[in-house]
Amino acid sequence: MREVAIIGAGMIPFGRRDQDTLLDMLAYASLKALDDAGLGDKSVDAVYVANMGAGMLQHQTAIASALVDRLSLLPAAADAIENGPASGASAIKNGLLAVASGYYNLVLVAGGEKMREVTGWKATDFVATMTHPEVEYPYGITLPGMAGMFTRLYMEKYGVTREQLVDVAIKNQKMGALNPYAHVEMAITKEGIMDSRDAVVNNPVAADPLHLYDLCPVSDGAAAVILCPLDLAKKIAPKTPVLVAGFGQATDTHTLQERDDPTELKAVQLAAQQAFERAKLKPADMDVAELHDAFTILEIAESEQVGFFKKGEGGKAASAGKTGLGGQIPINMSGGLKARGHPVGATGVAQVVEVVFQLRHELEKNRQVKDAKNGFTINFGGFGNNVVAFVLRRVEA
Amino acid sequence: MREVAIIGAGMIPFGRRDQDTLLDMLAYASLKALDDAGLGDKSVDAVYVANMGAGMLQHQTAIASALVDRLSLLPAAADAIENGPASGASAIKNGLLAVASGYYNLVLVAGGEKMREVTGWKATDFVATMTHPEVEYPYGITLPGMAGMFTRLYMEKYGVTREQLVDVAIKNQKMGALNPYAHVEMAITKEGIMDSRDAVVNNPVAADPLHLYDLCPVSDGAAAVILCPLDLAKKIAPKTPVLVAGFGQATDTHTLQERDDPTELKAVQLAAQQAFERAKLKPADMDVAELHDAFTILEIAESEQVGFFKKGEGGKAASAGKTGLGGQIPINMSGGLKARGHPVGATGVAQVVEVVFQLRHELEKNRQVKDAKNGFTINFGGFGNNVVAFVLRRVEA
């Protein structure tokens, strides 16, 4: 199997993008990635599009065929990949397999979602379509509902506190405010969302014990990367290539209720383990990570489950600044889903784009992890029932 | 790159399956394929699900995660693939790349669609979501509408006659009546649908010059195959393995209007060419083919475009029986989309399942192509804007 590298990465600012169609957003992000890879007139061999909701939200299918035409990349092969909120990482995985197989050389992977066509309960309902169609969805469970129950269990079993959750939210919004691609640009304070009388109004309960600021926003957005064999990358890439050193993907019970211990995110653990093994690296070798913080509790739980901290230590580590810039393992220096936003099909690609920027050392000082060599991502599908992990490594000249 | 073989194939009867959910259908077909491959307790490494409309039709996403759980195949990787009506072949292609890459050994590919939730104009509208979202869909064009215009052009340029179209329909319904998996089980006659007074009522105009019997029905259904490296196949397969000797995938302009000559199906030609080249075989080497006859004209046009007949000769060949059992190249011995039915996500997989049955020589005499060694499929996305082709070869012991 051939080693595969990322030679281009691009994204558009996430947020409310009423003026753009889904296809516009995918095209803008793709053009930025193609340009970043210096491909000029070179055509790509295959295109993967990550998207979860175009059928439901835009009444549109065959989005990959539409994109390859819009970008004048005909007759490249084109497929759309769906794995709920982990669609982005699944698409990158399939692009990776396509290159590793030897059949394709240059592959574009673009992820996008135009979610703000629906807001409020309709957005929550859209996301809930990924729950079990027989034993979950008809009974009204939603993803925030699951996250609330998960948080309560986690608090009871491991002593995670509301303050620790708030510390994650504050860190991620602070970093988001520094990231030009982030949806939420506003830094927040403990006083504003927890310690003052106003906090009751500013930060109401969303899914007890989670409050509004524990949840990611509903965003539009798109991101893209270009993959090719490492050998080719060394020849043609105008910027430092980033090796996809390892990947992992694992599934868990579709419903939360069937897990022996619902606080164990087995698919997160397995996917991370596979990725580290393939990369021949350990959690401690990672310099930067993007975790799937659709809810603040998930950043804490994942930071333990992938091996950055022991079980029960993730919340304390967050409050102690170990996951901030300059800390033991800087997590979500992009602002994460919490602040960058979570256009579901785009998220897994945006995580990889952020890590590529980090490993190329091209971010502003206030976000750049110094001398970062190895990066890690977790993209979390369903409520942890289909998880994809990547270990990325800077290719030194 | 490793050679990849099919060691299991299964499908459920297509038709109206009100009693089953989409997940039921996918699970039944998958179990048949797993059983056919003799896998017993062996787990698969990855699952691909081909589906186009679950979001829109079933208000359901993350169907691949749901299937892998239903089948107790955890923690296998699982992704859904969408490429309109070519989703099935796209999923098999991605399964093939996954095995060829060396990362996965046993891969299940299941395609399914529960389309009869919508009928009449709503079914036509569902399918039309694959047209261009800006310059086609808003103006009311539908797939039958495109096929009608395409047929008129083809008739004028190449002299295809209505009788030739009817001959395709008669052949395919005859074969469908012999196929226990086919939706339409009724043989038809030229008198009944063309030459009698009753024909006006039996077979009204649908999209001029196409009549009702030129169109495939709206069907529910699912089909599945198991892929693995050829070396492993030779060791573990209880039945004759079938090599995926070649594949091709090509895109064309998303809209029909932008093509220099709309009667040229460039993506069909390119995909077929790639598949033949990779297999080191020619069209004349094929013993049996499944073409994408969503409309009778497409079987004729594709039979020319892939190289079975010269341009303008496909219609005559069909009327002369050259595409029937015992003819030069038996096409759609399953009944094709026309009679087996066209549950969009399932079709590409069902085509491959049929060819696997043919190449294993296990069909009833009235459908079996004698001593078939090489088979061919075309799965046609959009109106020919994203096409996937396979060349399959019987692996002799």
Side-chain angles (χ1 to χ4, degrees):
Chain A
M1 56 190 80
R2 306 198 287 185
E3 289 198 287
V4 180
I6 298 169
I7 58 166
M11 60 183 289
I12 56 172
F14 286 7
R16 184 169 169 169
R17 301 188 61 106
D18 296 348
Q19 74 283 17
D20 300 321
T21 66
L22 173 60
L23 197 54
D24 290 337
M25 295 196 297
L26 287 164
Y28 298 152
S30 299
L31 288 171
K32 290 180 88 170
L34 288 161
D35 190 49
D36 189 60
L39 286 181
D41 286 343
K42 273 195 207 74
S43 194
V44 305
D45 303 310
V47 174
Y48 286 90
V49 173
N51 175 262
M52 172 178 159
M56 248 182 290
L57 301 178
Q58 282 80 41
H59 200 65
Q60 184 181 355
T61 57
I63 188 87
S65 308
L67 182 65
V68 76
D69 184 32
R70 170 74 74 92
L71 295 171
S72 294
L73 294 174
L74 302 175
D79 299 315
I81 308 284
E82 189 263 329
N83 174 16
S87 299
S90 271
I92 294 179
K93 183 203 74 169
N94 282 291
L96 163 81
L97 296 175
V99 175
S101 75
Y103 280 111
Y104 293 112
N105 278 320
L106 285 166
V107 171
L108 163 68
V109 181
E113 205 81 47
K114 190 161 163 60
M115 279 180 78
R116 292 198 61 95
E117 311 253 76
V118 286
T119 51
W121 74 265
K122 282 191 180 171
T124 305
D125 176 69
F126 161 61
V127 175
T129 59
M130 76 180 80
T131 62
H132 195 287
E134 285 144 32
V135 306
E136 289 179 336
Y137 184 85
Y139 299 97
I141 187 72
T142 62
L143 271 290
M146 284 184 183
M149 293 189 285
F150 180 83
T151 307
R152 175 66 66 205
L153 283 171
Y154 223 87
M155 284 175 154
E156 285 182 7
K157 186 157 183 184
Y158 295 109
V160 160
T161 64
R162 181 153 173 238
E163 187 161 12
Q164 290 167 356
L165 299 174
V166 164
D167 284 335
V168 171
I170 290 171
K171 167 179 68 72
N172 291 359
Q173 289 208 200
K174 177 184 155 198
M175 299 314 294
L178 301 173
N179 179 358
Y181 297 110
H183 183 177
V184 179
E185 299 167 336
M186 180 183 67
I188 48 177
T189 62
K190 198 168 284 186
E191 198 192 350
I193 66 165
M194 186 175 158
D195 284 346
S196 62
R197 270 188 73 151
D198 285 351
V200 181
V201 177
N202 290 344
N203 192 17
V205 169
D208 186 57
L210 295 173
H211 290 239
L212 181 65
Y213 279 89
D214 290 301
L215 278 57
C216 64
V218 175
S219 312
D220 302 328
V225 294
I226 311 288
L227 303 170
C228 77
L230 178 62
D231 293 347
L232 182 63
K234 286 178 177 170
K235 279 180 216 155
I236 66 170
K239 299 187 182 173
T240 305
V242 170
L243 180 72
V244 187
F247 77 93
Q249 183 177 13
T251 46
D252 197 353
T253 63
H254 200 62
T255 68
L256 202 52
Q257 72 193 23
E258 286 175 284
R259 299 181 192 165
D260 296 333
D261 178 351
T263 61
E264 288 293 318
L265 297 170
K266 273 194 200 169
V268 170
Q269 187 171 352
L270 261 173
Q273 213 173 312
Q274 289 171 14
F276 287 128
E277 275 170 20
R278 284 179 175 139
K280 299 189 179 67
L281 290 168
K282 302 179 303 295
D285 297 323
M286 297 300 107
D287 301 308
V288 61
E290 288 283 308
L291 301 185
H292 192 108
D293 60 328
F295 309 101
T296 48
I297 185 68
L298 286 183
E299 180 172 312
I300 293 172
E302 291 167 19
S303 73
E304 299 170 356
Q305 204 83 60
V306 306
F308 292 141
F309 304 106
K310 286 195 187 128
K311 270 280 184 184
E313 300 296 318
K316 292 173 212 163
S319 286
K322 292 185 183 175
T323 58
L325 196 66
Q328 179 185 327
I329 173 70
I331 294 175
N332 290 329
M333 294 299 96
S334 64
L337 283 60
K338 174 76 189 78
R340 181 181 52 221
H342 184 25
V344 281
T347 286
V349 183
Q351 292 178 314
V352 169
V353 168
E354 166 72 14
V355 174
V356 167
F357 290 165
Q358 289 281 1
L359 299 184
R360 293 198 314 210
H361 306 166
E362 62 189 34
L363 293 173
E364 299 291 313
K365 263 192 185 170
N366 54 16
R367 270 195 342 104
Q368 176 66 50
V369 175
K370 215 182 151 203
D371 299 330
K373 280 186 186 142
N374 298 309
F376 180 78
T377 63
I378 282 284
N379 197 191
F380 187 87
F383 199 87
N385 60 29
N386 198 336
V387 177
V388 184
F390 289 113
V391 171
L392 304 172
R393 191 160 73 216
R394 176 183 169 88
V395 177
E396 300 292 350
Chain B
M1 56 190 79
R2 306 197 287 183
E3 289 197 286
V4 180
I6 297 169
I7 58 167
M11 61 184 288
I12 57 172
F14 287 7
R16 183 168 170 171
R17 301 186 62 106
D18 296 347
Q19 74 283 16
D20 300 322
T21 66
L22 173 60
L23 197 54
D24 291 336
M25 295 197 296
L26 287 164
Y28 298 153
S30 299
L31 288 171
K32 290 181 87 169
L34 288 161
D35 190 49
D36 189 59
L39 286 182
D41 285 343
K42 275 196 205 73
S43 195
V44 306
D45 303 310
V47 174
Y48 286 91
V49 173
N51 174 262
M52 172 177 158
M56 247 182 289
L57 302 178
Q58 281 80 41
H59 200 64
Q60 184 182 357
T61 57
I63 188 86
S65 309
L67 181 66
V68 77
D69 183 31
R70 171 74 74 94
L71 294 170
S72 294
L73 294 174
L74 303 175
D79 299 315
I81 307 283
E82 189 263 329
N83 174 16
S87 298
S90 271
I92 294 179
K93 183 203 75 169
N94 282 292
L96 163 81
L97 296 176
V99 175
S101 75
Y103 280 109
Y104 294 112
N105 278 319
L106 284 167
V107 172
L108 163 68
V109 182
E113 205 81 46
K114 190 159 163 62
M115 279 181 78
R116 293 198 61 96
E117 313 253 75
V118 286
T119 51
W121 74 265
K122 283 191 180 170
T124 305
D125 175 69
F126 162 61
V127 175
T129 59
M130 75 179 81
T131 62
H132 195 287
E134 285 145 31
V135 306
E136 289 180 336
Y137 184 85
Y139 300 97
I141 188 71
T142 62
L143 271 290
M146 283 183 183
M149 293 190 285
F150 179 84
T151 307
R152 175 65 66 205
L153 283 171
Y154 223 88
M155 284 175 153
E156 285 182 8
K157 186 156 182 186
Y158 295 109
V160 160
T161 64
R162 186 162 166 230
E163 188 161 10
Q164 290 167 357
L165 299 174
V166 164
D167 283 335
V168 170
I170 291 171
K171 167 180 68 71
N172 291 359
Q173 290 208 201
K174 177 184 155 197
M175 299 315 295
L178 301 172
N179 179 359
Y181 296 111
H183 183 177
V184 178
E185 299 168 334
M186 181 185 66
I188 48 177
T189 62
K190 197 167 285 187
E191 199 193 349
I193 65 163
M194 185 175 160
D195 284 346
S196 62
R197 271 188 71 152
D198 286 350
V200 181
V201 177
N202 290 343
N203 192 17
V205 170
D208 186 56
L210 295 174
H211 290 240
L212 180 65
Y213 279 89
D214 290 300
L215 278 58
C216 64
V218 175
S219 312
D220 302 329
V225 294
I226 311 288
L227 304 170
C228 77
L230 178 60
D231 293 347
L232 182 63
K234 285 177 178 170
K235 279 179 216 155
I236 66 169
K239 298 186 182 172
T240 306
V242 170
L243 179 73
V244 187
F247 78 92
Q249 183 177 12
T251 45
D252 197 354
T253 63
H254 200 62
T255 67
L256 203 53
Q257 73 194 21
E258 287 176 285
R259 299 180 193 166
D260 296 335
D261 177 350
T263 62
E264 287 293 318
L265 297 170
K266 273 194 202 169
V268 170
Q269 187 171 351
L270 261 173
Q273 213 173 311
Q274 290 172 13
F276 287 127
E277 275 169 20
R278 284 179 175 139
K280 299 190 178 68
L281 290 169
K282 302 179 303 295
D285 296 322
M286 298 300 108
D287 300 309
V288 60
E290 288 283 307
L291 301 184
H292 192 108
D293 59 328
F295 309 101
T296 48
I297 185 67
L298 285 183
E299 179 172 313
I300 293 172
E302 291 167 19
S303 72
E304 300 170 354
Q305 204 82 59
V306 306
F308 291 142
F309 304 107
K310 287 196 184 125
K311 269 280 184 184
E313 299 296 317
K316 292 173 210 159
S319 287
K322 290 184 184 175
T323 57
L325 195 66
Q328 179 186 326
I329 173 71
I331 294 175
N332 289 330
M333 293 299 95
S334 64
L337 283 61
K338 174 74 189 79
R340 181 182 52 220
H342 184 25
V344 282
T347 287
V349 183
Q351 291 179 314
V352 168
V353 168
E354 165 72 13
V355 173
V356 167
F357 291 165
Q358 289 281 0
L359 299 184
R360 294 197 313 209
H361 305 164
E362 63 190 33
L363 294 172
E364 299 291 311
K365 262 192 183 170
N366 54 17
R367 268 192 347 102
Q368 176 67 51
V369 175
K370 216 184 151 202
D371 299 330
K373 279 186 187 141
N374 298 310
F376 180 78
T377 62
I378 281 285
N379 197 189
F380 186 87
F383 199 86
N385 59 30
N386 199 336
V387 177
V388 183
F390 288 112
V391 171
L392 304 172
R393 191 161 72 215
R394 176 184 168 88
V395 177
E396 301 292 352

